[in-house]
Amino acid sequence: MSKNLRGNFKWMAVVGASLLGACGVPGDETAANGEGLAQGAQELAARDVSVRLSSEKATFGAGETARVTLTLTNDSRHAVKLLKWYTPAEGLEEPLLQVKLNGEDVAFTGPHYKRPAASEKDFLTLAPGESLSRTVDLGEVYDLSRTGSYSLSFEVATAKLHGNSAKAGLLKSNDVTVWIEGRAAARPAGETPTSLGAISFSGRCSSTQMTTIMDALNAASAMANDSSSYLNGTPSGTPRYTTWFGAFSSSGWTTAKTHFAAIKDAFDTKPITVDCGCKKSYYAYVYPNQPYTIYVCNAFWSAPMTGTDSKGGTLIHEMSHFTVVAGTDDYVYGQSGAKSLAISNPTNALGNADNHEYFAENTPFLQ
């Protein structure tokens, strides 16, 4: 093991858009605006697509899979394009459902992804009258540990193809109520990891991949240490801080300082596992309540080691998601979105994974 590493170390039905992605790539305004993805597509209005939510049973015992079915139907006279990430086409990759128990929101426990900007292949097209129907397992991505009557619904924002002056709208399903007996959280199946010191590898990482990951962990550790040292300095409204975390406040600085102290400690001292088994086109993902396992995907391998959307920065992003580290979410994606969030909502910027990544990568360099 490197001495450096352990020493110093809303489902949106979108047609393109400003609301793209989960953890998207910054610096590509053309992609971020959806240009070139589906030229000529019509604006998606809420009336164009209907959503039906149903359950095969009203009651699910602890040993039964709590399945519900989502059906999207194009009710318009023209074809519509939807970003697959925010549909159930490939399962519940995002918190598409509003799930409540006794009026309280139920935690989404599924993966938090970092993805490249959307391209044409990330969209699906529904012809007039065509439907897409998928049955999903609630227990895979929602906390069903408590017994009770769960209320379920589906509500998402609609957006114009290019994300410019889009009419705001909501795509809503019917409400469904089901009784679910509490059960243990689902955990992804995995093989016995291969260990290299305090770092473990799973998902059949090759020797070349393991070497790359060690370099990436060293890069992430260096970024985390630099960020922590920076925030241990005199609190002030520096360009680096305000660009990524918004208007200066002593409490905000303290939050950022606390987050990066925890991120630094995780890279320096915690037993990290990196899994190479993901074959999706994304960068990486984690389950926030399952530290410290990071699943790296195809885009990770072609990313630069440092700089914007780098391998090291990706690991910072994912490490910040763990509840025991910083518990960040994905409010916005990309450098442009992160900068805008810092201006409009510093509190959310301090809770956004991309803002932490770009602060740590510090590209372009800011004092």
Side-chain angles (χ1 to χ4, degrees), residues 194-217:
T194 299
S195 296
L196 183 59
I199 304 301
S200 298
F201 302 91
S202 61
R204 298 184 179 180
C205 298
S206 69
S207 58
T208 299
Q209 288 175 326
M210 286 191 276
T211 298
T212 299
I213 289 166
M214 292 300 292
D215 290 342
L217 286 166

Side-chain angles (χ1 to χ4, degrees), residues 240-268:
R240 182 175 177 183
Y241 178 86
T242 58
T243 296
W244 301 118
F245 295 129
F248 171 77
S249 69
S250 57
S251 61
W253 185 282
T254 298
T255 296
K257 178 180 175 180
T258 301
H259 285 182
F260 274 101
I263 293 169
K264 171 186 180 297
D265 179 69
F267 282 114
D268 285 351

Side-chain angles (χ1 to χ4, degrees), residues 29 69 95 97 108 154-155 179 207 210 237 246 274 297 300 334-335:
E29 297 305 320
T69 299
L97 297 174
F108 177 77
F154 179 81
E155 181 177 301
W179 179 270
S207 58
M210 286 191 276
V274 180
C297 305
F300 175 85
Q335 282 194 334

Side-chain angles (χ1 to χ4, degrees), residues 26-211:
D28 186 346
E29 297 305 320
T30 297
N33 289 331
E35 295 176 4
L37 297 182
Q39 297 293 340
Q42 299 186 41
E43 178 178 333
L44 179 67
R47 65 180 178 274
D48 290 344
V49 177
S50 59
V51 184
R52 173 70 180 172
L53 179 62
S54 62
S55 174
E56 61 184 20
K57 299 179 63 176
T59 301
F60 294 96
E64 297 178 295
T65 302
R67 295 189 179 93
V68 295
T69 299
L70 277 166
T71 301
L72 290 63
T73 301
N74 179 6
D75 297 323
S76 74
R77 295 182 179 180
H78 58 82
V80 296
K81 289 198 173 186
L82 308 175
L83 187 57
K84 287 190 291 187
W85 305 340
Y86 293 91
T87 78
E90 298 179 356
L92 293 177
E93 291 190 340
E94 297 291 332
L96 308 183
L97 297 174
Q98 309 298 315
V99 182
K100 294 181 180 292
L101 177 63
N102 300 324
E104 298 179 359
D105 289 332
V106 171
F108 177 77
T109 58
H112 279 43
Y113 289 101
K114 175 179 173 65
R115 296 183 173 103
S119 63
E120 187 68 24
K121 65 180 176 57
D122 295 309
F123 289 80
L124 62 86
T125 300
L126 290 181
E130 185 179 4
S131 294
L132 167 73
S133 186
R134 294 289 187 272
T135 298
V136 297
D137 177 6
L138 291 176
E140 287 186 343
V141 290
Y142 288 95
D143 179 7
L144 303 183
S145 59
R146 295 177 293 169
T147 298
S149 182
Y150 287 76
S151 61
L152 317 172
S153 64
F154 179 81
E155 181 177 301
V156 300
T158 59
K160 192 176 180 180
L161 172 62
H162 299 303
N164 299 325
S165 306
K167 291 182 178 179
L170 289 175
L171 196 62
K172 301 178 67 173
S173 77
N174 55 300
D175 296 328
V176 169
T177 300
V178 292
W179 179 270
I180 300 176
E181 187 177 358
R183 73 278 313 282
R187 299 184 67 90
E191 61 187 49
T192 301
T194 299
S195 296
L196 183 59
I199 304 301
S200 298
F201 302 91
S202 61
R204 298 184 179 180
C205 298
S206 69
S207 58
T208 299
Q209 288 175 326
M210 286 191 276
T211 298

